Amino acid sequence: FVLYSFVRSELTRRNRVEHALDRDILRRKQAVNHAARLNRTLSVLSDVNQSIVRTRDRSVLFDQACQIAVEKGEFRMAWIGLFDTETQQVSPVAHAGVTEDYLQKLNISLNDISRGNGPAGLSIRTAQPAVVNNIATDPMMMPWREDALRLQYNSIASLPLIVSGDVRGMIALYHRESDFFDAEELKLVEEMAGDIAFAMEFIEQDNQRKLAEQQVKHLNRTLNMLSDINQAIVRTEDTQT
């Protein structure tokens, strides 16, 4: 009996140790995976900033940002939409990753109760990030759920693009994992969206400056032409007198 009790006690102790080791290994794996995810997103942030430095074309910047998010961040899909304040429509202008006909079927309008209150519409309404970490169950994704799950989208974060205090659009990032966007991940993608918005503002100001320079040059040419005409008129009058 004593031997039996000892063996049983020893087996129980070993099981507890093994379970503790399994939990520790699992935590370590989760920590490693989490760190790898954050490193990938940091790489996206870095490469997007390099793209911002290199390009002064908004369309090119949008295309490159989406492509970098998919290639470096391993997002399933990324798209950027611009908001029309008159029509209240959100129109995709750039994308990368697996889309099929998903973007053509979005039909996001802030005038529409259901389609205007998904992640993209909400991020534009509130000028705040909108996150769905389980597309399969979150009612916010009801209008697009079937297509999203078919394309293996399980999490989405939509980040507003705010330029000079106005929400001009948003960037949406989709991942195949549920519960992907934790606080740390969200902080990084928010920073990326802020950098893109800053670049948009800089490009707009640069374009306005170039337009103003062109207008000044045109005005100077006009003034020079008028001056030449006036001088010609004066010379004509002098010859007639």
Side-chain angles (χ1 to χ4, degrees), residues 188-233:
L188 292 176
V189 294
E190 275 189 88
E191 187 172 347
M192 179 186 69
D195 291 343
I196 293 172
F198 175 80
M200 290 169 64
E201 183 173 3
F202 181 85
I203 290 170
E204 287 181 9
Q205 291 175 350
D206 192 45
N207 289 339
Q208 290 171 357
R209 178 185 59 79
K210 290 178 180 178
L211 178 60
E213 289 175 351
Q214 291 174 354
Q215 290 173 337
V216 168
K217 289 178 181 178
H218 177 73
L219 179 60
N220 286 334
R221 285 196 299 269
T222 302
L223 290 174
N224 289 334
M225 182 177 66
L226 291 174
S227 176
D228 292 342
I229 292 172
N230 286 333
Q231 291 177 17
I233 292 173

Side-chain angles (χ1 to χ4, degrees), residues 11 48 135 156 175 209:
L11 288 174
V48 167
I135 290 176
I156 173 179
H175 205 276
R209 178 185 59 79

Side-chain angles (χ1 to χ4, degrees), residues 43-127:
S43 178
V44 170
L45 179 59
S46 174
D47 283 12
V48 167
N49 281 327
Q50 289 181 37
S51 179
I52 288 171
V53 171
R54 290 193 300 265
T55 183
R56 291 293 179 266
D57 185 300
R58 192 180 70 174
S59 296
V60 172
L61 173 62
F62 287 170
D63 287 338
Q64 290 180 351
C66 291
Q67 197 67 39
I68 291 167
V70 170
E71 291 181 357
K72 292 294 184 71
E74 297 185 4
F75 288 98
R76 183 70 170 163
M77 194 265 281
W79 68 279
I80 291 176
L82 294 181
F83 177 55
D84 188 321
T85 56
E86 293 186 3
T87 66
Q88 296 291 292
Q89 295 273 346
V90 181
S91 302
V93 294
H95 69 273
V98 179
T99 58
E100 294 187 4
D101 58 348
Y102 185 81
L103 296 178
Q104 287 83 355
K105 296 162 69 174
L106 280 175
N107 297 324
I108 298 173
S109 171
L110 268 63
N111 292 325
D112 188 299
I113 294 176
S114 61
R115 290 183 173 270
N117 285 290
L122 190 61
S123 66
I124 289 175
R125 287 182 191 277
T126 63

Side-chain angles (χ1 to χ4, degrees), residues 3 20 27 72 107 119 128 156 180 185 196:
L3 179 61
R27 282 195 296 267
K72 292 294 184 71
N107 297 324
Q128 295 291 329
I156 173 179
F180 180 81
E185 189 77 33
I196 293 172

